[in-house]
Amino acid sequence: AQTVTQSQPEMSVQEAETVTLSCTYDTSESNYYLFWYKQPPSRQMILVIRQEAYKQQNATENRFSVNFQKAAKSFSLKISDSQLGDTAMYFCAFMKYNNNDMRFGAGTRLTVKP
Amino acid sequence: DAMVIQNPRYQVTQFGKPVTLSCSQTLNHNVMYWYQQKSSQAPKLLFHYYDKDFNNEADTPDNFQSRRPNTSFCFLDIRSPGLGDAAMYLCATSTLTVNEQFFGPGTRLTVL
């Protein structure tokens, strides 16, 4: 079974600074997808960024980028130029290739301070 | 805008009184999911439908049932809610070709 571990229950960062959220996972699969989802307080979960395991290049979406280390089974999220609106719960998630069963980590609560 | 809609957003029920939560989607996705999310925890998959094929997670209690009458709608029925069933219930949709799940805003269930 796949497991996803987020070792940082809570983090905080000053506005405009950079923060990195950690995620590790365990799988015997070679093809899979990794995701970071954001869940703002009292709002719905939205996709931040997605990485396909067969792609070596790290995914980037504007201020959000990942550091995907397949051999180490590590998938961290870097948020640059943090904004107050980035305050949210962030979930790392794993999904096998051609299988819609998504497994989530326990989440990291990020607070961006003014 | 295409979206996933959940009604109601907040539901209060009494211990043991059946309750139904609703999810609808305008995305025309063939896969729909129900997750249970307790406070400050990760969403836990209860079951999902691939079209009309129902897939139950092994550890989902029998107290939880689901119906999908058509592509657009999916319902979560809790036959006899207990205090431990108080949680946020999330509906999500996807397709097999788009490897991303789209979430609704959730229904927060309170059991008195």
Side-chain angles (χ1 to χ4, degrees), chain A residues 1-112:
Chain A
Q2 288 74 32
T3 58
V4 180
T5 302
Q6 293 178 249
S7 59
Q8 305 151 316
E10 293 190 22
M11 293 190 73
S12 63
V13 63
Q14 291 296 132
E15 194 176 7
E17 293 187 349
T18 295
V19 64
T20 298
L21 308 184
S22 301
C23 174
T24 59
Y25 58 95
D26 185 26
T27 185
S28 57
E29 304 286 329
S30 56
N31 290 327
Y32 49 86
Y33 300 92
L34 294 163
F35 306 85
W36 279 99
Y37 275 88
K38 169 185 177 181
Q39 188 177 39
S42 301
R43 295 180 61 189
Q44 68 197 83
M45 193 162 338
I46 57 173
L47 179 67
V48 174
I49 200 164
R50 169 177 55 204
Q51 176 80 41
E52 296 163 12
Y54 66 87
K55 290 186 176 178
Q56 292 185 338
Q57 186 172 5
N58 288 325
T60 299
E61 289 287 342
N62 300 314
R63 297 183 295 106
F64 299 88
S65 61
V66 298
N67 183 5
F68 173 48
Q69 301 289 328
K70 191 173 185 179
K73 297 179 182 174
S74 170
F75 183 61
S76 61
L77 174 69
K78 185 171 82 171
I79 306 174
S80 304
D81 186 24
S82 297
Q83 300 176 359
L84 297 178
D86 295 334
T87 292
M89 197 76 169
Y90 286 82
F91 291 99
C92 178
F94 171 99
M95 187 167 72
K96 288 193 288 187
Y97 185 70
N98 268 347
N99 181 319
N100 286 59
D101 186 0
M102 186 174 289
R103 301 292 167 174
F104 289 88
T108 296
R109 186 177 303 280
L110 176 68
T111 301
V112 180

Side-chain angles (χ1 to χ4, degrees), chain B:
Chain B
D1 288 341
M3 59 177 62
V4 182
I5 303 160
Q6 291 189 244
N7 287 306
R9 294 291 308 276
Y10 301 90
Q11 176 74 57
V12 180
T13 191
Q14 290 183 331
F15 182 94
K17 184 176 181 181
V19 65
T20 295
L21 309 183
S22 168
C23 177
S24 63
Q25 53 131 339
T26 60
L27 297 162
N28 203 32
H29 286 171
N30 52 7
V31 191
M32 293 186 77
Y33 308 81
W34 279 106
Y35 289 89
Q36 180 192 64
Q37 186 181 23
K38 295 192 176 180
S39 181
S40 300
Q41 295 184 21
K44 178 182 179 301
L45 182 65
L46 295 173
F47 24 61
H48 74 274
Y49 277 94
Y50 176 65
D51 289 328
K52 284 194 173 291
D53 292 335
F54 177 70
N55 298 273
N56 197 30
E57 290 295 297
D59 56 354
T60 298
D62 292 340
N63 196 28
F64 291 87
Q65 303 286 320
S66 185
R67 297 170 283 135
R68 189 179 185 186
N70 53 52
T71 300
S72 301
F73 285 87
C74 195
F75 300 98
L76 170 62
D77 301 309
I78 308 177
R79 294 192 296 187
S80 182
L83 298 179
D85 297 328
M88 177 73 86
Y89 289 87
L90 302 174
C91 175
T93 72
S94 73
T95 71
L96 285 183
T97 55
V98 176
N99 293 292
E100 173 187 346
Q101 292 187 15
F102 295 80
F103 285 83
T107 294
R108 183 168 297 282
L109 178 68
T110 300
V111 181
L112 300 177

